[in-house]
PDB file of all heavy atoms in Angstrom:
ATOM      1  N   VAL A   2     -23.505  22.047  15.198  1.00  0.00           N
ATOM      2  CA  VAL A   2     -24.242  21.250  14.224  1.00  0.00           C
ATOM      3  C   VAL A   2     -24.902  20.085  14.996  1.00  0.00           C
ATOM      4  O   VAL A   2     -24.341  19.614  15.944  1.00  0.00           O
ATOM      5  CB  VAL A   2     -23.226  20.661  13.000  1.00  0.00           C
ATOM      6  CG1 VAL A   2     -23.982  19.687  12.327  1.00  0.00           C
ATOM      7  CG2 VAL A   2     -22.590  21.817  12.418  1.00  0.00           C
ATOM      8  N   GLN A   3     -26.127  19.828  14.635  1.00  0.00           N
ATOM      9  CA  GLN A   3     -26.929  18.725  15.219  1.00  0.00           C
ATOM     10  C   GLN A   3     -27.258  17.837  14.111  1.00  0.00           C
ATOM     11  O   GLN A   3     -27.668  18.087  13.029  1.00  0.00           O
ATOM     12  CB  GLN A   3     -28.272  19.304  15.891  1.00  0.00           C
ATOM     13  CG  GLN A   3     -28.025  20.152  17.098  1.00  0.00           C
ATOM     14  CD  GLN A   3     -27.653  21.557  16.745  1.00  0.00           C
ATOM     15  OE1 GLN A   3     -28.220  22.190  15.822  1.00  0.00           O
ATOM     16  NE2 GLN A   3     -26.714  22.268  17.497  1.00  0.00           N
ATOM     17  N   LEU A   4     -27.186  16.483  14.360  1.00  0.00           N
ATOM     18  CA  LEU A   4     -27.351  15.449  13.480  1.00  0.00           C
ATOM     19  C   LEU A   4     -28.449  14.548  14.183  1.00  0.00           C
ATOM     20  O   LEU A   4     -28.314  14.078  15.270  1.00  0.00           O
ATOM     21  CB  LEU A   4     -26.214  14.637  13.063  1.00  0.00           C
ATOM     22  CG  LEU A   4     -25.093  15.394  12.498  1.00  0.00           C
ATOM     23  CD1 LEU A   4     -23.773  14.631  12.461  1.00  0.00           C
ATOM     24  CD2 LEU A   4     -25.461  16.073  11.150  1.00  0.00           C
ATOM     25  N   VAL A   5     -29.509  14.164  13.328  1.00  0.00           N
ATOM     26  CA  VAL A   5     -30.552  13.268  13.911  1.00  0.00           C
ATOM     27  C   VAL A   5     -30.867  12.187  12.873  1.00  0.00           C
ATOM     28  O   VAL A   5     -31.279  12.454  11.755  1.00  0.00           O
ATOM     29  CB  VAL A   5     -31.855  14.045  14.200  1.00  0.00           C
ATOM     30  CG1 VAL A   5     -33.002  13.098  14.774  1.00  0.00           C
ATOM     31  CG2 VAL A   5     -31.625  15.214  15.298  1.00  0.00           C
ATOM     32  N   GLU A   6     -30.492  10.877  13.307  1.00  0.00           N
ATOM     33  CA  GLU A   6     -30.770   9.770  12.383  1.00  0.00           C
ATOM     34  C   GLU A   6     -32.270   9.256  12.576  1.00  0.00           C
ATOM     35  O   GLU A   6     -32.832   9.441  13.680  1.00  0.00           O
ATOM     36  CB  GLU A   6     -29.816   8.686  12.721  1.00  0.00           C
ATOM     37  CG  GLU A   6     -28.397   9.072  12.519  1.00  0.00           C
ATOM     38  CD  GLU A   6     -27.695   9.356  13.789  1.00  0.00           C
ATOM     39  OE1 GLU A   6     -28.476   9.828  14.694  1.00  0.00           O
ATOM     40  OE2 GLU A   6     -26.480   9.204  13.961  1.00  0.00           O
ATOM     41  N   GLY A  35     -20.902  11.295   6.482  1.00  0.00           N
ATOM     42  CA  GLY A  35     -20.843   9.833   6.286  1.00  0.00           C
ATOM     43  C   GLY A  35     -21.521   9.186   7.351  1.00  0.00           C
ATOM     44  O   GLY A  35     -22.265   9.663   8.165  1.00  0.00           O
ATOM     45  N   TRP A  36     -21.541   7.791   7.108  1.00  0.00           N
ATOM     46  CA  TRP A  36     -22.189   6.945   7.939  1.00  0.00           C
ATOM     47  C   TRP A  36     -21.217   5.834   8.567  1.00  0.00           C
ATOM     48  O   TRP A  36     -20.344   5.477   7.883  1.00  0.00           O
ATOM     49  CB  TRP A  36     -23.353   6.095   7.102  1.00  0.00           C
ATOM     50  CG  TRP A  36     -24.490   6.813   6.642  1.00  0.00           C
ATOM     51  CD1 TRP A  36     -24.667   7.412   5.543  1.00  0.00           C
ATOM     52  CD2 TRP A  36     -25.672   7.031   7.530  1.00  0.00           C
ATOM     53  NE1 TRP A  36     -25.985   7.989   5.506  1.00  0.00           N
ATOM     54  CE2 TRP A  36     -26.498   7.912   6.744  1.00  0.00           C
ATOM     55  CE3 TRP A  36     -26.061   6.711   8.820  1.00  0.00           C
ATOM     56  CZ2 TRP A  36     -27.730   8.239   7.148  1.00  0.00           C
ATOM     57  CZ3 TRP A  36     -27.306   7.203   9.263  1.00  0.00           C
ATOM     58  CH2 TRP A  36     -28.111   7.945   8.436  1.00  0.00           C
ATOM     59  N   TYR A  37     -21.403   5.576   9.781  1.00  0.00           N
ATOM     60  CA  TYR A  37     -20.665   4.652  10.469  1.00  0.00           C
ATOM     61  C   TYR A  37     -21.635   3.638  11.128  1.00  0.00           C
ATOM     62  O   TYR A  37     -22.972   3.879  11.315  1.00  0.00           O
ATOM     63  CB  TYR A  37     -19.731   5.285  11.628  1.00  0.00           C
ATOM     64  CG  TYR A  37     -18.527   5.882  10.978  1.00  0.00           C
ATOM     65  CD1 TYR A  37     -18.912   7.212  10.411  1.00  0.00           C
ATOM     66  CD2 TYR A  37     -17.259   5.533  11.274  1.00  0.00           C
ATOM     67  CE1 TYR A  37     -17.722   7.935   9.946  1.00  0.00           C
ATOM     68  CE2 TYR A  37     -16.249   6.253  10.819  1.00  0.00           C
ATOM     69  CZ  TYR A  37     -16.365   7.407  10.081  1.00  0.00           C
ATOM     70  OH  TYR A  37     -15.326   8.252   9.597  1.00  0.00           O
ATOM     71  N   ARG A  38     -21.159   2.546  11.632  1.00  0.00           N
ATOM     72  CA  ARG A  38     -21.887   1.590  12.391  1.00  0.00           C
ATOM     73  C   ARG A  38     -21.164   0.900  13.393  1.00  0.00           C
ATOM     74  O   ARG A  38     -19.949   0.765  13.313  1.00  0.00           O
ATOM     75  CB  ARG A  38     -22.577   0.507  11.388  1.00  0.00           C
ATOM     76  CG  ARG A  38     -21.590  -0.331  10.716  1.00  0.00           C
ATOM     77  CD  ARG A  38     -22.434  -1.248   9.783  1.00  0.00           C
ATOM     78  NE  ARG A  38     -21.520  -2.242   9.171  1.00  0.00           N
ATOM     79  CZ  ARG A  38     -21.813  -2.972   8.016  1.00  0.00           C
ATOM     80  NH1 ARG A  38     -22.988  -3.002   7.597  1.00  0.00           N
ATOM     81  NH2 ARG A  38     -20.899  -3.870   7.582  1.00  0.00           N
ATOM     82  N   ARG A  45     -16.616   0.794  16.420  1.00  0.00           N
ATOM     83  CA  ARG A  45     -17.345   1.402  15.357  1.00  0.00           C
ATOM     84  C   ARG A  45     -16.688   1.429  14.072  1.00  0.00           C
ATOM     85  O   ARG A  45     -15.326   1.573  14.077  1.00  0.00           O
ATOM     86  CB  ARG A  45     -17.610   3.060  15.695  1.00  0.00           C
ATOM     87  CG  ARG A  45     -18.597   3.695  14.895  1.00  0.00           C
ATOM     88  CD  ARG A  45     -18.890   5.089  15.546  1.00  0.00           C
ATOM     89  NE  ARG A  45     -19.538   5.027  16.798  1.00  0.00           N
ATOM     90  CZ  ARG A  45     -20.090   6.017  17.403  1.00  0.00           C
ATOM     91  NH1 ARG A  45     -19.939   7.268  16.855  1.00  0.00           N
ATOM     92  NH2 ARG A  45     -20.604   5.770  18.640  1.00  0.00           N
ATOM     93  N   GLU A  46     -17.253   1.183  12.915  1.00  0.00           N
ATOM     94  CA  GLU A  46     -16.598   1.156  11.585  1.00  0.00           C
ATOM     95  C   GLU A  46     -17.231   2.037  10.661  1.00  0.00           C
ATOM     96  O   GLU A  46     -18.529   2.352  10.649  1.00  0.00           O
ATOM     97  CB  GLU A  46     -16.629  -0.376  11.172  1.00  0.00           C
ATOM     98  CG  GLU A  46     -18.017  -0.939  10.788  1.00  0.00           C
ATOM     99  CD  GLU A  46     -17.916  -2.210  10.105  1.00  0.00           C
ATOM    100  OE1 GLU A  46     -16.877  -2.804   9.780  1.00  0.00           O
ATOM    101  OE2 GLU A  46     -19.002  -2.803   9.762  1.00  0.00           O
ATOM    102  N   TYR A  94     -24.641   5.380  12.767  1.00  0.00           N
ATOM    103  CA  TYR A  94     -24.440   6.790  13.131  1.00  0.00           C
ATOM    104  C   TYR A  94     -24.064   7.706  11.922  1.00  0.00           C
ATOM    105  O   TYR A  94     -23.372   7.220  11.010  1.00  0.00           O
ATOM    106  CB  TYR A  94     -23.358   6.819  14.105  1.00  0.00           C
ATOM    107  CG  TYR A  94     -23.434   6.092  15.446  1.00  0.00           C
ATOM    108  CD1 TYR A  94     -23.175   4.858  15.492  1.00  0.00           C
ATOM    109  CD2 TYR A  94     -24.028   6.852  16.448  1.00  0.00           C
ATOM    110  CE1 TYR A  94     -23.294   4.157  16.728  1.00  0.00           C
ATOM    111  CE2 TYR A  94     -24.291   6.106  17.653  1.00  0.00           C
ATOM    112  CZ  TYR A  94     -23.834   4.824  17.840  1.00  0.00           C
ATOM    113  OH  TYR A  94     -24.015   4.212  18.991  1.00  0.00           O
ATOM    114  N   CYS A  95     -24.700   8.766  11.816  1.00  0.00           N
ATOM    115  CA  CYS A  95     -24.151   9.644  10.718  1.00  0.00           C
ATOM    116  C   CYS A  95     -23.192  10.739  11.487  1.00  0.00           C
ATOM    117  O   CYS A  95     -23.150  10.848  12.671  1.00  0.00           O
ATOM    118  CB  CYS A  95     -25.316  10.525  10.189  1.00  0.00           C
ATOM    119  SG  CYS A  95     -26.239  11.678  11.160  1.00  0.00           S
ATOM    120  N   ASN A  96     -22.315  11.213  10.590  1.00  0.00           N
ATOM    121  CA  ASN A  96     -21.185  12.077  11.089  1.00  0.00           C
ATOM    122  C   ASN A  96     -20.780  13.089  10.024  1.00  0.00           C
ATOM    123  O   ASN A  96     -21.149  12.971   8.900  1.00  0.00           O
ATOM    124  CB  ASN A  96     -19.971  10.869  11.184  1.00  0.00           C
ATOM    125  CG  ASN A  96     -18.622  11.600  11.116  1.00  0.00           C
ATOM    126  OD1 ASN A  96     -18.189  11.918   9.959  1.00  0.00           O
ATOM    127  ND2 ASN A  96     -17.955  11.653  12.165  1.00  0.00           N
ATOM    128  N   THR A  97     -20.423  14.251  10.440  1.00  0.00           N
ATOM    129  CA  THR A  97     -19.852  15.279   9.714  1.00  0.00           C
ATOM    130  C   THR A  97     -18.703  15.909  10.279  1.00  0.00           C
ATOM    131  O   THR A  97     -18.456  15.893  11.581  1.00  0.00           O
ATOM    132  CB  THR A  97     -20.937  16.226   9.305  1.00  0.00           C
ATOM    133  OG1 THR A  97     -20.609  17.169   8.238  1.00  0.00           O
ATOM    134  CG2 THR A  97     -21.464  17.037  10.522  1.00  0.00           C
ATOM    135  N   MET A 103     -15.732  17.445  14.585  1.00  0.00           N
ATOM    136  CA  MET A 103     -16.443  16.259  14.198  1.00  0.00           C
ATOM    137  C   MET A 103     -17.732  16.257  14.961  1.00  0.00           C
ATOM    138  O   MET A 103     -17.707  16.411  16.249  1.00  0.00           O
ATOM    139  CB  MET A 103     -15.649  15.039  14.301  1.00  0.00           C
ATOM    140  CG  MET A 103     -16.368  13.712  13.933  1.00  0.00           C
ATOM    141  SD  MET A 103     -15.260  12.256  14.139  1.00  0.00           S
ATOM    142  CE  MET A 103     -14.122  12.662  12.930  1.00  0.00           C
ATOM    143  N   TYR A 104     -18.911  15.927  14.396  1.00  0.00           N
ATOM    144  CA  TYR A 104     -20.164  15.781  14.944  1.00  0.00           C
ATOM    145  C   TYR A 104     -20.723  14.440  14.713  1.00  0.00           C
ATOM    146  O   TYR A 104     -20.515  13.852  13.587  1.00  0.00           O
ATOM    147  CB  TYR A 104     -21.102  16.872  14.528  1.00  0.00           C
ATOM    148  CG  TYR A 104     -20.748  18.290  14.754  1.00  0.00           C
ATOM    149  CD1 TYR A 104     -19.867  19.027  13.952  1.00  0.00           C
ATOM    150  CD2 TYR A 104     -21.079  18.819  16.062  1.00  0.00           C
ATOM    151  CE1 TYR A 104     -19.450  20.299  14.137  1.00  0.00           C
ATOM    152  CE2 TYR A 104     -20.627  20.166  16.275  1.00  0.00           C
ATOM    153  CZ  TYR A 104     -19.814  20.939  15.382  1.00  0.00           C
ATOM    154  OH  TYR A 104     -19.491  22.202  15.707  1.00  0.00           O
ATOM    155  N   TRP A 105     -21.571  13.923  15.745  1.00  0.00           N
ATOM    156  CA  TRP A 105     -22.155  12.631  15.680  1.00  0.00           C
ATOM    157  C   TRP A 105     -23.581  12.740  15.942  1.00  0.00           C
ATOM    158  O   TRP A 105     -23.954  13.544  16.848  1.00  0.00           O
ATOM    159  CB  TRP A 105     -21.541  11.623  16.563  1.00  0.00           C
ATOM    160  CG  TRP A 105     -20.159  11.221  16.112  1.00  0.00           C
ATOM    161  CD1 TRP A 105     -18.995  11.808  16.714  1.00  0.00           C
ATOM    162  CD2 TRP A 105     -19.690  10.219  15.346  1.00  0.00           C
ATOM    163  NE1 TRP A 105     -17.932  11.284  16.216  1.00  0.00           N
ATOM    164  CE2 TRP A 105     -18.257  10.249  15.422  1.00  0.00           C
ATOM    165  CE3 TRP A 105     -20.248   9.281  14.480  1.00  0.00           C
ATOM    166  CZ2 TRP A 105     -17.420   9.228  14.689  1.00  0.00           C
ATOM    167  CZ3 TRP A 105     -19.411   8.371  13.756  1.00  0.00           C
ATOM    168  CH2 TRP A 105     -18.199   8.465  13.818  1.00  0.00           C
ATOM    169  N   GLY A 106     -24.502  11.842  15.253  1.00  0.00           N
ATOM    170  CA  GLY A 106     -25.780  11.679  15.640  1.00  0.00           C
ATOM    171  C   GLY A 106     -25.911  10.763  16.817  1.00  0.00           C
ATOM    172  O   GLY A 106     -24.964  10.138  17.288  1.00  0.00           O
ATOM    173  N   GLN A 107     -27.215  10.588  17.293  1.00  0.00           N
ATOM    174  CA  GLN A 107     -27.293   9.604  18.393  1.00  0.00           C
ATOM    175  C   GLN A 107     -27.364   8.208  18.032  1.00  0.00           C
ATOM    176  O   GLN A 107     -27.382   7.293  18.756  1.00  0.00           O
ATOM    177  CB  GLN A 107     -28.648  10.127  19.118  1.00  0.00           C
ATOM    178  CG  GLN A 107     -29.935   9.599  18.674  1.00  0.00           C
ATOM    179  CD  GLN A 107     -30.292  10.064  17.250  1.00  0.00           C
ATOM    180  OE1 GLN A 107     -29.738  11.194  16.816  1.00  0.00           O
ATOM    181  NE2 GLN A 107     -31.324   9.575  16.587  1.00  0.00           N
ATOM    182  N   GLY A 108     -27.594   7.884  16.725  1.00  0.00           N
ATOM    183  CA  GLY A 108     -27.613   6.588  16.234  1.00  0.00           C
ATOM    184  C   GLY A 108     -29.061   6.014  16.071  1.00  0.00           C
ATOM    185  O   GLY A 108     -30.006   6.574  16.670  1.00  0.00           O
TER     186      GLY A 108
END
Side-chain angles (χ1 to χ4, degrees):
V2 173
Q3 295 79 40
L4 302 173
V5 179
E6 302 98 333
W36 289 97
Y37 288 71
R38 66 186 182 186
R45 191 171 297 189
E46 65 172 356
Y94 299 90
C95 66
N96 159 280
T97 188
M103 184 175 290
Y104 297 90
W105 295 93
Q107 83 289 348

